[in-house]
């Protein structure tokens, strides 16, 4: 990462961010052309899992080359240039947190493991529960588990980036926080709170 002040060296913080993100983008290679796929995912057994059909372009590309990278982003507030008290466009920026990783995709074939991965997805996407746990012994799920392809990206590297004004002076951070609170959108309040934690 070029800007060291934005890198976060905390695996648990990266996992927490992944758990907060609704979706991410899987990057595959179609011969020499990058191919990005936005998808829902969940953290599971030291990697991320996602599901899909057993046929289609994604499956074809993974079968041909299982190397992949993945990115997930949580957006904080857009910071307009006038927050820096200038009419120049240059200071405009976006605050965000992101996780990037790369490794190899494995296809999970074991029915019990597939059910476990699908339950991880359900726990993330439907935390209020109100569903029957996926169990291959349950006739409701037997056929569904068999028909569904489960993919796991096993990362060999992972980085987290947090851009929240770390490079700014304390005075400028406080000024940004005040302007975010004055603008007052729900995301601005979240961003201001997160920035205040860095003071």
């Amino acid at each position: 990462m070029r800007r060291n002040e934005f890198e976060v060296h905390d695996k648990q913080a990266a996992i927490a961010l992944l758990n907060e993100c609704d979706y991410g983008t899987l990057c595959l290679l179609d011969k020499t052309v990058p191919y990005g796929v936005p998808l829902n995912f969940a953290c599971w057994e030291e990697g991320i899992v996602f599901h899909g059909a057993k046929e289609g372009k994604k499956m074809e590309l993974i079968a041909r080359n299982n190397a992949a990278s993945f990115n997930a982003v949580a957006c904080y507030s857009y910071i307009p240039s006038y927050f820096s008290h200038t009419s120049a466009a240059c200071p405009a920026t976006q605050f965000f947190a992101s996780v990037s990783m790369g490794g190899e995709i494995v296809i999970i074939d074991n029915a019990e493991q597939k059910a476990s991965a699908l339950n991880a997805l359900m726990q993330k996407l439907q935390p209020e529960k109100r569903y029957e746990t996926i169990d291959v012994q349950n006739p409701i799920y037997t056929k569904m588990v068999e028909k569904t392809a489960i993919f796991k990206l096993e990362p060999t590297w992972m980085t987290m980036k947090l851009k929240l004004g770390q490079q700014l002076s304390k005075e400028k951070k406080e000024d940004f926080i005040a302007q975010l609170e004055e603008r007052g959108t729900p995301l601005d309040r979240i961003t201001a709170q997160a920035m205040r934690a860095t003071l």
Side-chain angles (χ1 to χ4, degrees):
M1 192 176 297
R2 186 177 63 86
R3 299 287 297 273
N4 292 333
E5 68 269 30
F6 296 146
E7 188 168 6
V8 177
H9 301 278
D10 183 343
K11 185 178 179 182
Q12 293 310 310
I15 291 170
L17 178 62
L18 289 169
N19 286 329
E20 290 173 15
C21 292
D22 293 330
Y23 76 95
T25 302
L26 179 71
C27 303
L28 303 171
L29 197 60
D30 186 359
K31 295 179 182 174
T32 59
V33 180
Y35 180 73
V37 185
L39 45 78
N40 294 120
F41 68 96
C43 295
W44 183 75
E45 295 192 359
E46 301 297 317
I48 60 160
V49 287
F50 51 98
H51 73 296
K54 289 188 173 183
E55 298 177 348
K57 185 166 185 175
K58 180 172 61 183
M59 179 64 96
E60 291 171 10
L61 295 181
I62 291 170
R64 193 181 305 155
N65 182 350
N66 69 339
S69 63
F70 180 82
N71 305 284
V73 181
C75 289
Y76 286 113
S77 291
Y78 171 70
I79 305 299
S81 58
Y82 57 79
F83 271 29
S84 296
H85 309 288
T86 179
S87 58
C90 304
T93 192
Q94 176 82 47
F95 285 171
F96 66 92
S98 66
V99 173
S100 299
M101 66 175 71
E104 294 187 342
I105 295 175
V106 296
I107 298 172
I108 306 298
D109 290 320
N110 177 276
E112 298 284 349
Q113 288 185 311
K114 290 173 75 171
S116 176
L118 287 167
N119 279 316
L121 283 160
M122 287 302 297
Q123 287 162 16
K124 178 184 179 184
L125 301 173
Q126 194 170 312
E128 69 276 19
K129 195 79 171 154
R130 297 174 65 181
Y131 63 89
E132 288 187 43
T133 299
I134 298 167
D135 182 344
V136 292
Q137 304 304 320
N138 185 334
I140 295 172
Y141 293 126
T142 305
K143 188 175 284 188
M144 179 275 293
V145 170
E146 193 281 323
K147 285 185 173 182
T148 304
I150 304 295
F151 308 89
K152 178 184 178 189
L153 175 58
E154 298 182 338
T156 55
W157 61 269
M158 180 167 66
T159 61
M160 179 176 174
K161 182 175 183 178
L162 177 65
K163 184 178 179 185
L164 205 57
Q166 297 96 312
Q167 79 283 13
L168 303 175
S169 67
K170 185 174 185 287
E171 181 181 44
K172 194 159 188 178
K173 282 184 187 177
E174 289 172 340
D175 183 35
F176 276 19
I177 289 168
Q179 292 184 82
L180 286 164
E181 289 174 340
E182 181 180 356
R183 192 168 65 181
T185 69
L187 188 57
D188 287 340
R189 289 192 289 272
I190 291 168
T191 304
Q193 183 179 6
M195 286 187 73
R196 190 170 279 110
T198 70
L199 289 174

